[in-house]
Amino acid sequence: MKDQLRLLRQVQAIDLYLDERHKAKGEIQKQLLEHKGMLKALSDDIEAQRAELAETVELRSRREAELAEGMERHASSKERLMNVSSTKEYNAVEKEMEGLKKKADETREQLEHLKEAIEVNQRHLNEKEEKIADLARQIQEVEQEAEGKIAILDKQILASGERIKESRAQIKQGPLRRYDFIRSRRGGRAIVAAQDGHCTGCFMSLPPQLFITIQRGSTLEICPSCQRILYFHGDAEGETTEAQAEA
Ligand SMILES: [Zn+2]
C-alpha cells in the first residue's frame, strides 16, 4: 500500500499543479474578456455620439434651407411692395415681410448655436476616438502577451496531463476511486499526511490505534473527520512537487 500511497501523492501533486495552471489560464481569459467588453462599451458610446452629431448636422442643413427659402420669399415680397395698389395691401405685404425677417433672425440665431454645438461635439468625438485608438493598441499588446502566457500554460497542462495518466495507470481501482471521489467533492487535497497523531488536512487528532495503522502503511486509511486519505508523513520525505519535476 505504501507504493500506492506514493503514487497517489504523485497524482495529487500533478492535479494541484494542473489546478493552478487552469486557474491562471481562466484568470487571463477573464481579463481578456473584460478588456474586450470595455472596448466594446467605449465603441458603442462613440457610435451613439456619431449618430447624434449626424442628426445635428442634418438639422443645420434643414435650417439653412429654411433660411434660404425665407429670404427668397422676403425678396419677392419686396418686389410686390413696389406694385401694390392700396395702402391696405401695402400694410399686409409689409407685415408679411416683418414676419419673414423675424423668422430669419431666429433661424440665424439657431444656426449659430448649432454651429457651436457641432464644433464642440466634433472636437470631443475626435478626442475620444484618439483615446480609444490608444487603448485598443494597449489592449492588443496585452492580448499578445496573454496569448503567449496561455500557450505556455497549455504546454504545461499537456505535459502534466501525460504524466498524470502514467501515474494513474499504476494505481489500483479502489484507492483511485476514493481519491477521485474526495477531489470531486471538495477539490484541493484528497490525500494528506498524518503527523504527530493528527490529520494535516483538518488538524483533528487521530485515534492512537489509527495513527499506528497508518504508520504501518499496509492498508488504505481515511481520516474519520474529513474523509481524506492518510499517509504517514515520514514516508513522503524528500518527494518533489510537480512544479519541481517540471522544472
Ligand atoms: Zn482530516
Side-chain angles (χ1 to χ4, degrees):
M1 185 52 68
K2 274 192 195 243
D3 191 49
Q4 290 284 294
L5 290 172
R6 182 184 58 78
L7 286 165
L8 273 180
R9 286 196 295 275
Q10 238 173 49
V11 164
Q12 170 163 279
I14 302 173
D15 266 332
L16 292 176
Y17 178 80
L18 282 169
D19 286 351
E20 249 177 58
R21 292 298 171 275
H22 282 298
K23 194 174 158 221
K25 192 178 159 180
E27 272 163 15
I28 293 172
Q29 284 168 332
K30 192 177 148 224
Q31 231 181 4
L32 287 179
L33 274 180
E34 276 171 11
H35 286 155
K36 281 208 169 75
M38 188 168 73
L39 210 53
K40 169 89 170 62
L42 289 170
S43 301
D44 286 351
D45 177 47
I46 281 221
E47 213 48 61
Q49 284 195 21
R50 259 193 217 119
E52 213 175 292
L53 183 62
E55 263 176 44
T56 314
V57 169
E58 210 209 301
L59 181 63
R60 182 178 63 183
S61 305
R62 277 207 306 276
R63 291 282 176 272
E64 276 168 352
E66 278 168 22
L67 183 63
E69 197 204 330
M71 279 161 74
E72 249 174 58
R73 282 174 63 192
H74 190 269
S76 70
S77 298
K78 205 171 170 184
E79 262 176 50
R80 264 166 60 210
L81 204 58
M82 309 295 168
N83 308 310
V84 293
S85 49
S86 68
T87 315
K88 196 180 162 197
E89 203 187 338
Y90 186 94
N91 286 344
V93 174
E94 207 181 41
K95 202 175 167 197
E96 189 186 287
M97 284 173 69
E98 265 171 35
L100 285 168
K101 187 176 177 300
K102 199 176 160 215
K103 183 85 180 53
D105 287 344
E106 277 170 17
T107 306
R108 275 196 196 92
E109 204 181 318
Q110 270 186 20
L111 277 168
E112 208 46 52
H113 288 311
L114 285 171
K115 191 181 157 221
E116 257 173 56
I118 287 169
E119 274 172 13
V120 169
N121 286 344
Q122 186 66 62
R123 200 167 54 238
H124 285 170
L125 204 54
N126 290 348
E127 282 168 8
K128 271 197 182 175
E129 274 169 352
E130 265 174 46
K131 272 185 199 157
I132 288 191
D134 270 349
L135 192 68
R137 267 193 297 277
Q138 282 173 28
I139 285 178
Q140 206 185 4
E141 276 170 33
V142 172
E143 265 176 12
Q144 275 168 2
E145 209 178 295
E147 271 159 25
K149 280 183 196 162
I150 286 178
I152 291 171
L153 288 170
D154 279 339
K155 224 169 117 188
Q156 292 170 333
I157 287 169
L158 202 70
S160 294
E162 287 303 314
R163 258 205 293 282
I164 205 169
K165 256 188 243 163
E166 284 167 26
S167 298
R168 284 177 68 95
Q170 300 170 61
I171 304 173
K172 292 196 180 78
Q173 281 291 314
L176 199 58
R177 220 176 285 144
R178 161 64 53 176
Y179 171 82
D180 286 338
F181 176 67
I182 304 169
R183 280 268 305 171
S184 73
R185 272 180 42 194
R186 34 191 345 152
R189 292 172 187 275
I191 174 166
V192 294
Q195 186 172 11
D196 302 329
H198 68 259
C199 163
T200 58
C202 65
F203 300 102
M204 293 294 280
S205 286
L206 299 167
Q209 187 52 50
L210 178 60
F211 189 61
I212 291 165
T213 310
I214 291 162
Q215 265 175 293
R216 212 174 289 136
S218 53
T219 48
L220 185 77
E221 297 301 331
I222 307 296
C223 169
S225 163
C226 70
Q227 315 299 317
R228 289 184 177 99
I229 301 166
L230 291 165
Y231 63 87
F232 179 59
H233 81 99
D235 293 343
E237 266 167 16
E239 284 179 2
T240 54
T241 65
E242 176 62 3
Q244 286 166 336
E246 242 243 342

